[in-house]
Amino acid sequence: MRNKNAAKTLYMVEMALMVAIIFMMAFTPLGYLRTPGLSITFLTVPVAVGAVLLGPKGGAVCGLAFGLTSFIQGLMGGSALAAMLFSIDPFGMAFTCIVPRILEGWLCGRIFLAARRFAKSSAYLIASLSCPLLNTVLFMSSLVAFFYHTEYIQGFAQSMGVGNPLLFVAAFVGLQGLIEAVVCTLIASAVSCSLAAALQKSGVCVA
């Protein structure tokens, strides 16, 4: 019983630490590289690390923290895009900021567990790559569902010379998505692998 309680306490401490890191990054220059459209976010790194170390539920909580910080920044004017979306459709903006990030963290954790069964040596890399990809796909899917036909998003589409949602997503994400994917894959895989070894989690690190 004592070991079980100690493990639960350690899990909660790790969870709190990851959430604290997400909030700290979100409200400092560490979390975002601001651009006129979508900002380049590095918050997928702690979400991926949390999903790997804490499992799907922990990943979902980390994703929730990510989403809440994004929503708060929209309310505070920290993100021009989120602020404009909120003025158009508050519910749609809240959903777009929060729900895709929860799914992103949960799915990243599930992917790690699945990858560990057949590709132990690269499970950390696979999970770390999946997190920014899921973030982009899920966020943009929600953005298109709620806002594609609004005048604001159509202005972006026309300026980029695209006429359908798929081309809009590809053009809107562009280099930003590639940078996020590379940064998260490299940093999150190295950090999660090292922490897993230090915390005596199961798994095989990539040499």
Side-chain angles (χ1 to χ4, degrees), residues 4-200:
K4 185 176 181 180
N5 289 336
K8 185 176 181 180
T9 300
L10 177 60
Y11 182 87
M12 297 304 295
V13 170
E14 292 172 354
M15 178 98 64
L17 178 61
M18 296 310 304
V19 169
I21 290 173
I22 289 169
F23 271 85
M24 181 274 294
M25 289 181 63
F27 296 103
T28 66
L30 294 174
Y32 292 92
L33 180 60
R34 301 296 180 187
T35 64
L38 284 176
S39 295
I40 298 173
T41 180
F42 304 118
L43 293 179
T44 52
V45 173
V47 173
V49 173
V52 168
L53 295 180
L54 305 173
K57 291 182 180 179
V61 172
C62 291
L64 173 61
F66 177 13
L68 288 175
T69 62
S70 180
F71 179 69
I72 292 169
Q73 289 201 346
L75 295 181
M76 297 172 58
S79 167
L81 175 64
M84 180 59 71
L85 297 182
F86 183 80
S87 69
I88 298 171
D89 181 354
F91 173 79
M93 179 267 196
F95 186 98
T96 301
C97 287
I98 297 173
V99 175
R101 273 61 187 266
I102 295 174
L103 291 174
E104 161 199 332
W106 184 79
L107 288 171
C108 181
R110 299 302 305 177
I111 288 170
F112 175 73
L113 293 178
R116 196 172 58 181
R117 295 173 184 172
F118 64 86
K120 289 185 178 181
S121 62
S122 56
Y124 294 94
L125 198 66
I126 293 171
S128 298
L129 175 60
S130 73
C131 195
L133 294 180
L134 287 167
N135 179 60
T136 298
V137 170
L138 295 172
F139 177 85
M140 290 304 299
S141 295
S142 182
L143 179 69
V144 167
F146 282 101
F147 298 101
Y148 180 71
H149 294 292
T150 64
E151 183 178 350
Y152 179 64
I153 296 300
Q154 283 300 305
F156 279 106
Q158 291 174 9
S159 67
M160 293 181 290
V162 295
N164 66 66
L166 288 178
L167 291 177
F168 165 72
V169 169
F172 201 51
V173 172
L175 182 62
Q176 170 260 351
L178 178 61
I179 293 174
E180 286 184 6
V182 171
V183 170
C184 183
T185 301
L186 294 178
I187 297 179
S189 60
V191 171
S192 60
C193 185
S194 298
L195 287 177
L199 296 170
Q200 297 182 338

